[in-house]
Amino acid sequence: MIPRITQLGVDPSHEPGARVDVAVRPLRLRGLHRIPKLDARILRYLLFAVIIACFLIHQSHFQRTSAFNHSERILLQSEARQMFYHAYHSYINTYPADEILPISCQGRFRRADESSDIDDSIGNFSLTLVDSLDMLVMIGDIDEFQMAIKKLIQDLNFDMDITVSVFETNIRMLGGLLSAHVLAKSIQNPHDESIRYLNETERSRLSWYNSELLDLAEDLGRRLLPAFDTKTGIPHSRVNLKYGLKSNKLRSAHETCTACAGSLILEFATLSRLTGDEIFEEKARGALDALWKHRHRSTDLVGTVINVDTGDWIRRESGVGAGSDSYYEYLMKAYILLGDPTYLHRFNRHYSSVMRYISRGPFLIDVHMHRPNRIAKGFMDALSAFWPGLQVLKGDLRAAISTHAMFNEVIRRHSYLPEAFTTDLQVYWANHQMRPEFLESTFFLHRATREDYYLDTGKEILRKLQDLKVGCGFAGLKDVRTGVHDDRMSSFVLAETLKYLYLLFSEDDETHIDLEKFIFSTEGHLLPIDLSLTKSKSIKQEYNDAELSKRNKSVFVESDSGNSIDTSEKQFEISTKSEGNTVIKMNEKMGRITLTKESRYIPASVAKLLVKMSDKFAQESTVIDLNNYENSCPSLEAQEMRFDSRYHPFLNKRIKTSTTSMGLAEPIDKELLFAIKMIYSMPR
Ligand code: DMJ
């Protein structure tokens, strides 16, 4: 079936791989009556020819959409790696530039004396190298990784009179440095399983590393802090690395975008938890609180530009693309990374509004935040292509498939995704910058569905990107209609576009980084999901060992056999219980926590471990029943604790459905204990 996209939406029976047809015209068979009568012999030949043709068409179609065989996938994976190397090595020739101009092969720098209005995402701080670091680990190039780190340690100095974007510097530089630091520490530790397939010699390459990247990140983070000196706590969009907000121009710039203010929490919280200084996390939380406070109270929508001092909305159109995109992403991921349900609650409220007002069939249409039935823009942008990926995290797979298919149709029509397009899929803004968002969603959808359609889609994109290959990298297009190149290759092409392409063609166990242990930032940087184990002093509701033992609460897991085992930590006791359900029992008064395979929206970190646990105990199903707590939680929270492991990209295992007896002989591992602690710390 070929679903039709209309202004009203796509046919709801849309499946992955189904072609989206926007203008299917009725086929008119004119002049049939003029065909002469055919004798039986010709008819037989014709019939035969038709059968052969059908067979060939079927074969070619089958080949196009057939299951990827292992060797083809590996070839594509290797091709993606080579593409990364082509871009990376070209860039390295221009180091310490921020970016390389891929056609002229020149380095792109930000000069300290520049009037800084041009591109404040570069800051004369070797942006592309920092943005590329974790990809080097992903592909197992530890030699290059350690050489790159050495270069940066030697050369990076943020004490420069340069004004930069707080948002861009955070997601690209701070995120890149933090991620590389975490990976470097993991490589050093032979027992750390988040980095795989390295031998002793490779691990020893980092033996000299002494957290220098974290020091650089902290220095940079502190230089961004003056931006938060506003009445609302919403940061200014730009700050001078040396002088903060000392210039009148910066201090009196009141406008910032929602995504700019709302996409700091992942990196800032990581920085706080790794350095022990809570200031960063506090500031990022403050900015999120202010945005939430200034949302439209009845529609729950936010605009795209806000005044940092008054909290008034300057641009009231509400959408999921430019200006807002990663705000939504960071609410969801802050919950996953930090386990704080406040953010899930906010995300869910926004999500409902987006799905009610902005999502129209497969389209995402900006509306007025205070009059949500009025359309604010007649076009969509390429940045919105991240949304289906976020919907996968949310578990809304059906909507994700539909919107992703719509973007794919735009690409099919114009060969590349233009920067913006209208609702009848015409080019609105013709520029193409090799942005990662569509590939990111393709990767997430493939992880969630395992449909070859997404590999086919990725293969098409890879071919198109190869057509953009030039002497020193890959060059975007000034205009997708003319194919005229633009001499630009943004750092995100290496940090994200080529990373998601590579990952799309990689099986879970083929990458050197175990993705189950990380979450992607909006720049594709990997932040460790066990971060919530590292307490931030400022987070009052955080689980706390001392408090737990004071309250003298115990944890039990009960099983059929009635066996129990001790955990390495004395306050937890694990026992087992009957009836096929695994129960983690806090104590008699605390009620019980059970998992069902339909459950959704537990933080990924917890969910993953619970799935592991349920695998370990191999029970049929478990049910989260927070209402049994002595102080029962509100039903909304109870609902939010649900997650669906089938659709979670980091949880590709299904919960086992067999009901074999539980083998509790092995001591409970640290991770399970962590899961229990996390559950224990959930608000009640
Ligand atoms: C990247 O820097 C990030 O993905 C950001 O969230 C949006 N813009 C670019 C990619 O398009």
Side-chain angles (χ1 to χ4, degrees):
M1 172 166 202
I2 298 172
R4 260 177 97 95
I5 291 187
T6 68
Q7 296 288 346
L8 298 175
V10 73
D11 186 315
S13 63
H14 194 192
E15 294 293 334
R19 190 160 69 89
V20 177
D21 209 320
V22 180
V24 181
R25 291 178 193 282
L27 184 65
R28 298 240 166 90
L29 298 174
R30 289 204 181 112
L32 265 184
H33 59 284
R34 286 201 289 266
I35 294 177
K37 285 209 172 127
L38 303 168
D39 69 23
R41 206 161 52 104
I42 294 177
L43 212 58
R44 262 206 309 276
Y45 280 128
L46 265 179
L47 196 64
F48 182 65
V50 168
I51 289 168
I52 294 290
C54 286
F55 174 72
L56 290 175
I57 289 168
H58 175 264
Q59 282 298 95
S60 72
H61 176 76
F62 181 74
Q63 270 160 19
R64 196 172 57 77
T65 59
S66 68
F68 262 64
N69 61 40
H70 178 76
S71 51
E72 183 179 14
R73 187 180 57 71
I74 294 294
L75 277 176
L76 289 164
Q77 183 199 52
S78 149
E79 199 172 339
R81 191 196 292 113
Q82 291 313 319
M83 290 166 78
F84 170 78
Y85 273 134
H86 173 62
Y88 178 80
H89 288 137
S90 304
Y91 161 76
I92 283 294
N93 292 331
T94 66
Y95 176 84
D98 279 318
E99 289 176 353
I100 182 167
L101 303 173
I103 298 175
S104 54
C105 300
Q106 299 298 307
R108 184 165 178 254
F109 293 85
R110 177 75 179 280
R111 307 286 172 200
D113 55 354
E114 217 172 276
S115 79
S116 73
D117 281 332
I118 306 154
D119 182 355
D120 52 16
S121 62
I122 60 172
N124 204 11
F125 38 37
S126 305
L127 176 64
T128 299
L129 188 57
V130 174
D131 238 0
S132 301
L133 291 174
D134 52 14
M135 180 62 179
L136 291 170
V137 181
M138 189 77 81
I139 57 181
D141 194 343
I142 306 305
D143 266 351
E144 187 61 37
F145 178 62
Q146 65 99 23
M147 280 190 310
I149 297 179
K150 276 185 177 157
K151 273 194 182 97
L152 291 167
I153 293 171
Q154 186 186 300
D155 300 337
L156 271 186
N157 174 9
F158 299 121
D159 195 29
M160 296 177 290
D161 179 11
I162 286 185
T163 297
V164 294
S165 152
V166 173
F167 163 76
E168 299 288 1
T169 307
N170 172 59
I171 65 167
R172 302 190 195 203
M173 288 295 296
L174 203 54
L177 291 170
L178 289 169
S179 165
H181 164 73
V182 169
L183 296 174
K185 293 303 266 184
S186 299
I187 292 170
Q188 279 184 333
N189 177 0
H191 306 295
D192 190 318
E193 290 170 358
S194 57
I195 306 289
R196 307 178 290 200
Y197 317 131
L198 297 183
N199 56 36
E200 246 177 68
T201 324
E202 284 168 318
R203 286 200 183 259
S204 69
R205 298 259 194 282
L206 264 298
S207 54
W208 57 269
Y209 178 71
N210 194 20
S211 299
E212 291 89 343
L213 293 178
L214 182 59
D215 296 341
L216 282 166
E218 187 177 355
D219 179 29
L220 184 57
R222 292 202 188 284
R223 291 171 190 276
L224 300 182
L225 288 179
F228 290 84
D229 185 15
T230 60
K231 293 197 184 91
T232 59
I234 296 173
H236 283 274
S237 73
R238 300 162 79 228
V239 72
N240 185 290
L241 287 176
K242 194 179 180 82
Y243 300 114
L245 294 178
K246 279 191 187 139
S247 86
N248 276 341
K249 192 175 168 202
L250 285 180
R251 187 157 283 285
S252 59
H254 296 296
E255 301 183 6
T256 195
C257 74
T258 306
C260 303
S263 314
L264 302 164
I265 183 74
L266 299 189
E267 293 81 2
F268 273 48
T270 304
L271 186 55
S272 274
R273 302 211 180 187
L274 293 179
T275 59
D277 187 341
E278 62 209 53
I279 186 75
F280 307 103
E281 184 166 345
E282 254 175 30
K283 294 289 180 193
R285 282 180 181 262
L288 281 176
D289 289 346
L291 288 173
W292 178 247
K293 182 174 149 205
H294 291 286
R295 77 194 184 281
H296 192 279
R297 291 303 170 106
S298 62
T299 64
D300 275 339
L301 292 174
V302 288
T304 49
V305 178
I306 194 164
N307 183 312
V308 297
D309 284 317
T310 62
D312 293 337
W313 290 100
I314 296 166
R315 299 193 64 156
R316 295 175 173 219
E317 63 265 25
S318 189
V320 298
S324 312
D325 47 4
S326 45
Y327 164 59
Y328 301 111
E329 180 186 354
Y330 270 38
L331 282 179
M332 181 59 155
K333 291 184 177 175
Y335 173 58
I336 294 171
L337 189 72
L338 308 174
D340 184 340
T342 312
Y343 298 125
L344 178 65
H345 173 68
R346 289 180 192 173
F347 174 81
N348 281 341
R349 292 273 293 271
H350 285 313
Y351 189 81
S352 300
S353 302
V354 168
M355 294 313 281
R356 183 166 173 198
Y357 301 117
I358 294 168
S359 167
R360 301 180 183 218
F363 297 118
L364 298 160
I365 310 287
D366 282 23
V367 297
H368 291 277
M369 61 182 283
H370 52 300
R371 284 194 206 147
N373 295 319
R374 266 179 52 186
I375 288 175
K377 266 193 213 165
F379 61 89
M380 278 164 283
D381 56 44
L383 289 166
S384 327
F386 88 103
W387 186 252
L390 186 59
Q391 289 183 307
V392 172
L393 275 185
K394 160 83 180 155
D396 197 351
L397 208 55
R398 197 176 173 76
I401 288 169
S402 165
T403 298
H404 178 274
M406 180 273 294
F407 279 104
N408 208 4
E409 178 61 17
V410 180
I411 295 170
R412 200 185 64 78
R413 287 175 163 231
H414 304 291
S415 295
Y416 296 92
L417 189 60
E419 193 63 6
F421 56 92
T422 57
T423 47
D424 56 355
L425 312 193
Q426 300 305 310
V427 173
Y428 184 83
W429 185 4
N431 184 247
H432 173 76
Q433 301 181 28
M434 303 176 287
R435 289 191 184 279
E437 285 78 5
F438 179 74
L439 270 171
E440 176 185 351
S441 287
T442 307
F443 161 71
F444 274 82
L445 272 161
H446 180 249
R447 286 289 164 122
T449 64
R450 293 290 167 189
E451 287 286 341
D452 283 349
Y453 164 75
Y454 296 106
L455 294 180
D456 278 312
T457 302
K459 187 175 154 188
E460 294 281 313
I461 304 287
L462 182 145
R463 293 277 158 262
K464 302 259 173 62
L465 275 172
Q466 287 286 40
D467 291 342
L468 300 182
K469 186 173 176 181
V470 291
C472 295
F474 296 86
L477 294 173
K478 283 191 175 138
D479 191 325
V480 296
R481 294 163 299 198
T482 60
V484 173
H485 278 291
D486 196 3
D487 193 11
R488 278 293 304 277
M489 181 175 71
S490 296
S491 67
F492 58 67
V493 174
L494 290 94
E496 289 190 85
T497 309
L498 297 173
K499 185 185 281 158
Y500 285 121
L501 192 64
Y502 174 79
L503 289 177
L504 177 63
F505 298 118
S506 305
E507 284 295 337
D508 297 346
D509 57 358
E510 286 173 357
T511 52
H512 281 78
I513 300 177
D514 180 356
L515 295 185
E516 287 199 9
K517 296 192 162 54
F518 295 88
I519 188 156
F520 290 101
S521 76
T522 192
E523 186 72 3
H525 293 310
L526 294 146
L527 301 173
I529 57 170
D530 64 3
L531 200 69
S532 49
L533 275 176
T534 317
K535 289 187 276 285
S536 161
K537 282 174 253 157
S538 64
I539 315 306
K540 305 280 184 311
Q541 71 269 33
E542 177 102 0
Y543 165 79
N544 166 320
D545 277 334
E547 198 189 322
L548 178 70
S549 52
K550 200 169 67 205
R551 286 192 273 154
N552 194 27
K553 291 168 183 169
S554 307
V555 174
F556 302 88
V557 175
E558 300 178 341
S559 87
D560 291 342
S561 57
N563 287 337
S564 69
I565 56 168
D566 285 334
T567 66
S568 51
E569 296 200 14
K570 293 203 178 72
Q571 67 267 44
F572 293 105
E573 185 183 337
I574 309 296
S575 62
T576 55
K577 198 195 164 188
S578 58
E579 291 165 11
N581 283 344
T582 290
V583 176
I584 305 168
K585 202 170 173 194
M586 300 302 193
N587 66 19
E588 292 307 326
K589 287 182 188 159
M590 293 289 293
R592 59 183 201 167
I593 294 179
T594 334
L595 296 174
T596 62
K597 58 182 178 173
E598 288 84 25
S599 300
R600 290 183 177 184
Y601 312 146
I602 302 174
S605 47
V606 177
K608 183 165 72 77
L609 299 166
L610 290 174
V611 170
K612 202 170 186 179
M613 182 181 69
S614 77
D615 274 353
K616 185 175 273 183
F617 299 144
Q619 80 290 316
E620 170 116 29
S621 69
T622 45
V623 176
I624 291 185
D625 186 1
L626 293 173
N627 289 316
N628 275 353
Y629 284 121
E630 192 180 33
N631 304 316
S632 68
C633 59
S635 57
L636 175 70
E637 294 293 345
Q639 275 174 22
E640 287 178 347
M641 304 311 255
R642 295 160 64 77
F643 94 110
D644 190 335
S645 71
R646 287 169 304 172
Y647 298 149
H648 199 292
F650 302 115
L651 304 173
N652 289 311
K653 314 174 217 172
R654 286 165 193 253
I655 293 180
K656 286 203 177 132
T657 50
S658 60
T659 47
T660 54
S661 64
M662 301 179 221
L664 282 175
E666 53 182 312
I668 193 156
D669 59 28
K670 260 190 175 171
E671 286 187 327
L672 174 54
L673 196 59
F674 164 52
I676 295 167
K677 285 180 180 180
M678 287 289 294
I679 296 162
Y680 202 87
S681 69
M682 285 173 182
R684 291 181 272 276

